[in-house]
Amino acid sequence: MRSVLIVDDEIQIRKGLRWKVDWEEAGFHIVAEAANGEGALAKLEEEKVDLVMTDIRMPIMDGIELARHCREKYPHVKVIVLSGYSDFEYVKSLMKKGVRDYLLKPVDPDELAEVLRQMKEEIDQDRTRQLELDQVKRQARTQFQEVQEQYLLSLVKEEWFQYSLVKERLEQLKLDMLLKEDLKVQFISVGVRDFSGQANRVNELRMAFQMLCKELVEQRPGIFAFYDLSYTNMMHFLIVLDQNFDNHPDRLTKMIQHQINKLLKLETVIGTGNPVTGLSELKTGYISSLLAWSQNQLNHHSQVINEHVKREELMDFSPDLEKHIINAIEQMDMSRFQRELESLLGETTAQSVLSSSIVANRILFCLGSIAKKYNVENSNAQQLIWECQQVIWQLNDQGKVIAYLTQLAELIVAQIYDTRSTDGRQIVDGVRRYIDQYYGMIFH
């Protein structure tokens, strides 16, 4: 149904317009009346109106001035003016100034019905175009958010060494607030569980859970939600700790718990990581939130676990260490990789269990990135990554962690060897075909 506002300083004319046609049958509903243009603008603030029918001559504000205001502030509203014969030429000259059509007084019911038919078609066409435009905008916004999320995930999981490229990409994705020299951020990892006894309910609500998390922070500058495929039924939040943003992790966790429980009837387990400073520390901050989450107790309802790890307790996993691991794998030097692994996680390292777990996760992220680079994404690799994560989260068997990381590295090295060998054979085969083809042509 399309809504109508009737504007005339004479109440009898307003009543007469109501009686001249069957508005409901024509597809319209009169939602309000006003005695002049000023009163009409007040009604437009309160009601959603598609069509304004207004007299041209009224006190305080006439119909032409009202049409001008509608064109500027409510461009979607169609304006029909009512005029006497003496104003006919004047009205025609104003058709380009916001007036869509006109009717001569006294209004003929058939003419009114025909104008309403035309306006109905135009309003419906406008609505269709607007729906299509809104859909395109939503799709573009969704795609942009997905690209943002993917890049945030790459920042916290994959290797990156060229700051200039990172800077350029963050600016393109409107994430340049992360480039501040004194950037302080905190991560929280949110998992959901269900105690209703309904099988598979969490998986069925996974998409709704993800969408709800994104909606909760969409209008909150400095908070970004993203999803990591490695951790099913979880969402992660990067929170910029800046005095210009009203971002309090504790407040956010309470809001998330309340909304998920209220709307989805699910329990939440939230791991709050340590605050970290600078882009290079994002991985450490992310892993600390995962480790906090991993310490939750099974068969317990909603929980918030804070991970208070002193900075000096954490081993400095620098980009150089990451490069050493990558180089060892890409050079297919397992002996070198095992030496690096032993120096970082071996029994002789004097570091806490928690620090060792963070380093192990950094190495696992690094191997996962290399596996992706060389298309090592088969079921064996995925299973190894999952099992390695579980062992790391147990925080009590460093030997198993090293064994899993070594096994995953061997799988990646084997794939790199096969890839390079295959590429070499393809080159040799190509040269042979070239020689066979052109050698035969020359000596034919």
Side-chain angles (χ1 to χ4, degrees), residues 63-64 66-69 71 93-100:
I64 299 304
L66 171 60
R68 185 182 67 80
H69 279 285
R71 183 184 59 182
S93 70
L94 294 172
M95 292 295 288
K96 294 182 179 179
K97 297 187 177 181
V99 176
R100 183 64 192 85

Side-chain angles (χ1 to χ4, degrees), residues 6 16 20 25 30 47 60 68 131 152 157 190 201 211 216 225 247 325 347 353 357 424 427:
I6 295 178
K20 284 183 182 292
E25 185 178 331
I30 299 174
E47 302 282 353
I60 303 177
R68 185 182 67 80
L131 285 173
L152 284 174
K157 290 194 69 173
V190 181
R201 186 166 179 270
M211 292 177 62
L216 288 175
N247 295 337
I325 292 171
E347 294 180 359
V353 173
S357 299
I427 293 170

Side-chain angles (χ1 to χ4, degrees), residues 333-354:
D333 189 344
M334 280 301 301
S335 297
R336 179 181 168 189
F337 173 77
Q338 288 173 331
R339 289 196 299 271
E340 295 288 352
L341 200 59
E342 190 66 28
S343 68
L344 293 169
L345 297 174
E347 294 180 359
T348 58
T349 57
Q351 56 182 314
S352 67
V353 173
L354 197 53

Side-chain angles (χ1 to χ4, degrees), residues 95-119:
M95 292 295 288
K96 294 182 179 179
K97 297 187 177 181
V99 176
R100 183 64 192 85
D101 210 335
Y102 59 90
L103 288 168
L104 294 176
K105 291 182 176 180
V107 176
D108 181 80
D110 292 337
E111 290 182 1
L112 176 57
E114 176 59 22
V115 166
L116 291 179
R117 185 191 64 78
Q118 294 175 4
M119 292 301 101

Side-chain angles (χ1 to χ4, degrees), residues 145-162:
Q145 288 175 340
E146 288 176 354
V147 175
Q148 278 187 325
E149 292 172 26
Q150 290 169 6
Y151 194 68
L152 284 174
L153 185 61
S154 71
L155 282 179
V156 301
K157 290 194 69 173
E158 299 181 8
E159 77 277 7
W160 50 274
F161 305 117
Q162 295 186 356

Side-chain angles (χ1 to χ4, degrees), residues 138-322:
R138 280 196 301 272
Q139 289 175 345
R141 185 168 61 250
T142 299
Q143 290 173 357
F144 185 75
Q145 288 175 340
E146 288 176 354
V147 175
Q148 278 187 325
E149 292 172 26
Q150 290 169 6
Y151 194 68
L152 284 174
L153 185 61
S154 71
L155 282 179
V156 301
K157 290 194 69 173
E158 299 181 8
E159 77 277 7
W160 50 274
F161 305 117
Q162 295 186 356
Y163 178 78
S164 60
L165 296 179
V166 173
K167 180 177 182 295
E168 180 182 355
R169 192 65 174 141
L170 288 174
E171 289 172 346
Q172 290 172 346
L173 295 174
K174 298 181 180 180
L175 297 170
D176 45 303
M177 69 175 67
L178 301 181
L179 294 170
K180 291 183 179 180
E181 291 184 3
D182 58 347
L183 172 72
K184 291 185 179 180
V185 303
Q186 192 166 4
F187 288 86
I188 67 172
S189 295
V190 181
V192 288
R193 56 177 55 159
D194 177 53
F195 290 96
S196 68
Q198 301 178 47
N200 210 36
R201 186 166 179 270
V202 170
N203 289 333
E204 291 171 354
L205 292 174
R206 183 182 301 159
M207 187 65 71
F209 162 60
Q210 293 174 5
M211 292 177 62
L212 177 57
C213 286
K214 293 175 184 179
E215 289 174 2
L216 288 175
V217 300
E218 190 172 8
Q219 302 301 323
R220 294 173 176 267
I223 304 180
F224 305 94
F226 61 96
Y227 178 65
D228 187 342
L229 282 170
S230 300
Y231 305 95
T232 56
N233 302 324
M234 290 182 69
M235 283 292 290
H236 310 277
F237 298 83
L238 183 157
I239 307 167
V240 177
L241 304 176
D242 191 309
Q243 60 183 2
N244 295 323
F245 302 133
D246 187 24
N247 295 337
H248 297 284
D250 291 345
R251 190 180 303 165
L252 178 62
T253 57
K254 290 178 181 177
M255 178 184 70
I256 291 171
Q257 280 190 326
H258 174 72
Q259 292 297 324
I260 290 175
N261 185 263
K262 176 183 176 182
L263 300 175
L264 303 181
K265 309 302 180 188
L266 294 174
E267 301 294 331
T268 50
V269 176
I270 301 178
T272 304
N274 293 314
V276 295
T277 302
L279 276 177
S280 62
E281 291 294 315
L282 291 184
K283 290 184 181 181
T284 298
Y286 177 52
I287 290 171
S288 70
S289 74
L290 290 174
L291 285 171
W293 180 89
S294 70
Q295 296 176 44
N296 72 83
Q297 299 179 17
L298 295 174
N299 301 318
H300 279 62
H301 289 251
S302 293
Q303 305 165 59
V304 177
I305 304 103
N306 296 300
E307 190 56 59
H308 297 296
V309 184
K310 294 181 180 179
R311 185 178 176 84
E312 59 269 24
E313 291 181 353
L314 299 178
M315 180 177 179
D316 183 18
F317 193 90
S318 67
D320 286 339
L321 289 174
E322 202 163 24

